Amino acid sequence: MDRFYNELWQLGLDMANSIKKPIKDKDKLLVVQHFIDRLVFFYFLCQLGIVKVKYGINGEFTEITMNKKTTKEFFEFLIDNLNDSELQKLLNSIFFEGLGDRGKANSNGYVDVHVKVGEWEFDISVPYLNGGLFREKEIPTENNTEIKESEIEFTGIKELIETLNKYNWIIGDYADDEESVDNLTPEVLGHVYEKFVVGLENIGEI
């Protein structure tokens, strides 16, 4: 787990350093860490099979039954077909318009998100989660204004997804699966966030 954290920390530093908006260095790190936390959580939801995905081009859609195997395949498809800006738009839409938008939830507690990025269209159905993680925040700028998280662009998302995909995520009955480099459990999110807070306190400036 420590190796996973160290990889995320270095990726987070690189992603934060790529931000061009006039915000403080620590706020750049916070924006990136929020994104990483949300993506890790969404990744787990996909592997649990409670996310529904359809994507297509020119009106022809492919529907995926999400599970451990197809989650990796779907994210590989994303990094092969979308650039960082398109990936960020898609994922932020899932985070803020789906997982964090109670007003759009249907009677089953799910939110349907439709996103068009580049030439691709996506229909993603996710459960609404009643928590602060997926609520979009406004970040103070050095110009005494505020900017939404979704308006702050950064690079490195493909590398982040590649890192998530190379680990073996232990969920439910998969505890004996040792097909990849290392094993991770859902508890990793809390561990990563806790270590990030300590790292942020010690780093000063990027």
Side-chain angles (χ1 to χ4, degrees), residues 39-56:
L39 179 56
V40 172
F41 203 110
F42 176 61
Y43 196 99
F44 270 121
L45 293 179
C46 289
Q47 292 215 343
L48 284 169
I50 59 178
V51 173
K52 301 173 185 177
V53 173
K54 288 198 301 184
Y55 66 91

Side-chain angles (χ1 to χ4, degrees), residues 8-20 28-29 32-33 35-36 39 153-160 206:
L8 290 193
W9 177 254
Q10 187 56 57
L11 284 169
L13 287 177
D14 294 341
M15 292 164 73
N17 276 317
S18 74
I19 294 176
K20 305 302 182 185
K28 291 179 180 180
L29 275 172
V32 167
Q33 185 61 37
F35 185 88
I36 292 173
L39 179 56
E153 293 189 357
F154 42 81
T155 60
I157 299 174
K158 290 191 176 187
E159 289 81 0
L160 175 59
I206 299 175

Side-chain angles (χ1 to χ4, degrees), residues 61-115:
F61 281 79
T62 298
E63 186 169 357
I64 303 176
T65 301
M66 300 303 287
N67 56 38
K68 185 177 182 182
K69 181 174 183 290
T70 56
T71 293
K72 291 191 175 187
E73 292 173 348
F74 175 63
F75 278 95
E76 285 172 0
F77 164 82
L78 292 181
I79 61 178
D80 286 342
N81 290 276
L82 303 181
N83 60 37
D84 269 341
S85 179
E86 292 167 338
L87 277 168
Q88 193 170 1
K89 178 183 177 181
L90 173 64
L91 292 169
N92 278 337
S93 295
I94 294 169
F95 300 156
F96 304 137
E97 298 172 25
L99 294 162
D101 194 338
R102 182 177 185 178
K104 294 181 180 178
N106 60 29
S107 59
N108 294 321
Y110 271 75
V111 182
D112 296 323
V113 180
H114 180 82
V115 189

